[in-house]
Amino acid sequence: MQRADLVVRAPEAGVPVLLLEIDRRTEDAHDLVTKLRRYWEWGRLLAKDADKRTVDLVRSRPDAIDHVDHGQRLWRRMYPPTGREGLVPLAFVFADTTEAKAANTVAVLEEAGRRYWAPRRYDTLYEKAVTARDYSQAVPVVVTTLEQLRQHGAGAAVWRRLGRSGEQTLTAALDNPDGDALYRAQEARADAEDKRRRAAQREAQRPVCKRCGRKFTDQRWEETTMHRTAWKAGDLSVCGDCHADDVARKEAAAEAARLQAAAPSEPEPEHDRDPGRLRGLFRRRG
């Protein structure tokens, strides 16, 4: 458990919660890295009322906590949502020190504490198209000096976020312009482009009727390629309309043959039945 020197809550200023560590140069820079690690570990603890399935999963596979919603974690039982990705933000305020010493301490925090404050790459199918970073498991860390706060106030651009250059206002330093919102936009664009590319590839492969030159419809294409329908699809090289013409001709020919077979045969002419008998009627009698 790591207890902060001060907890700031200013939701009206866009900072629902901020943990402050006041460093008067009584601790080594690596001690501050240890503090940062403890905050990170604390932010990954489950709440006591977390559901059993989640508890069992995290116990069997510690990295599973990365996929557990923050609402089931211990820190959310003590503090409100931050309104941003990641764990509870942490501020190191340096006092009674020189600018050079503060800069050296920040450099150690950035290098040795990178695992705890740095965002990760998103696990996405579109790695080349997505430049956004995943801050969901990171501790947002900002630094400043007590002298700057006294001179300019906490609302001024006196805060520097680890991993960034230059000073910003507190809300700007805590925001993640390259985080979740950018990721969703880039993922959506990449997905739309992928669908367009796949559609173009499919269209380029669409069969053309060998008889009339028209492209197959999706229905005809499926009929001629699916095993369960291809056997009765007729000539696989013709489109649906030409296939329908073939079917119509076959049906018409079959109907004509049926009608011809069912038609009655014509009777023989009367004079052909028994010509010898008729001739005998006109024979002269002697």
Side-chain angles (χ1 to χ4, degrees), residues 17-246:
V17 60
L18 176 67
L19 307 182
L20 263 70
E21 285 287 337
I22 312 300
D23 177 35
R24 297 185 178 276
R25 299 307 301 138
T26 58
E27 296 178 281
D28 182 83
H30 289 281
D31 292 334
L32 300 187
V33 175
T34 300
K35 282 187 175 183
L36 172 56
R37 174 179 59 80
R38 288 175 179 170
Y39 281 114
W40 179 78
E41 291 173 342
W42 175 73
R44 293 166 66 82
L45 294 177
L46 285 176
K48 291 183 178 180
D49 59 352
D51 63 82
K52 185 178 183 302
R53 179 179 175 278
T54 300
V55 173
D56 292 342
L57 179 63
V58 173
R59 282 177 178 173
S60 64
R61 203 182 75 226
D63 63 332
I65 189 66
D66 291 350
H67 307 288
V68 175
D69 185 79
H70 287 273
Q72 294 197 61
R73 301 193 189 186
L74 177 61
W75 75 265
R76 278 297 311 279
R77 300 299 184 269
M78 301 179 63
Y79 301 116
T82 65
R84 301 173 177 88
E85 306 102 294
L87 306 174
V88 184
L90 174 64
F92 286 103
V93 179
F94 302 107
D96 303 330
T97 187
T98 65
E99 184 175 331
K101 288 183 178 179
N104 290 336
T105 301
V106 171
V108 173
L109 276 171
E110 283 190 317
E111 182 62 28
R114 177 173 297 275
R115 177 184 180 186
Y116 314 119
W117 63 259
R120 308 173 183 179
R121 291 188 64 88
Y122 273 101
D123 184 12
T124 174
L125 297 174
Y126 312 112
E127 290 187 1
K128 294 182 179 179
V130 174
T131 61
R133 292 294 179 264
D134 181 3
Y135 289 86
S136 63
Q137 307 305 315
V139 177
V141 181
V142 293
V143 298
T144 189
T145 65
L146 189 58
E147 289 71 24
Q148 284 180 304
L149 291 177
R150 286 173 175 169
Q151 182 177 357
H152 303 289
V158 297
W159 303 90
R160 184 167 89 79
R161 174 87 171 256
L162 293 192
R164 300 179 188 174
S165 60
E167 295 175 331
Q168 300 174 283
T169 62
L170 182 56
T171 52
L174 293 177
D175 287 342
N176 302 311
D178 59 339
D180 181 65
L182 178 62
Y183 167 71
R184 285 185 277 110
Q186 290 181 331
E187 180 89 342
R189 286 197 296 269
D191 187 61
E193 175 60 24
D194 184 61
K195 289 180 179 178
R196 185 204 64 76
R197 179 182 57 80
R198 290 176 181 272
Q201 289 178 341
R202 174 179 168 79
E203 195 61 29
Q205 297 170 354
R206 186 180 294 275
V208 175
C209 181
K210 296 296 191 292
R211 188 177 301 166
C212 70
R214 288 179 293 186
K215 289 187 175 182
F216 282 26
T217 63
D218 287 344
Q219 180 180 352
R220 179 59 178 169
W221 194 359
E222 181 178 352
E223 287 176 354
T224 59
T225 54
M226 297 297 289
H227 179 71
R228 66 176 185 274
T229 56
W231 66 273
K232 59 179 180 180
D235 186 348
L236 302 184
S237 68
V238 301
C239 66
D241 290 343
C242 290
H243 172 60
D245 292 342
D246 290 345

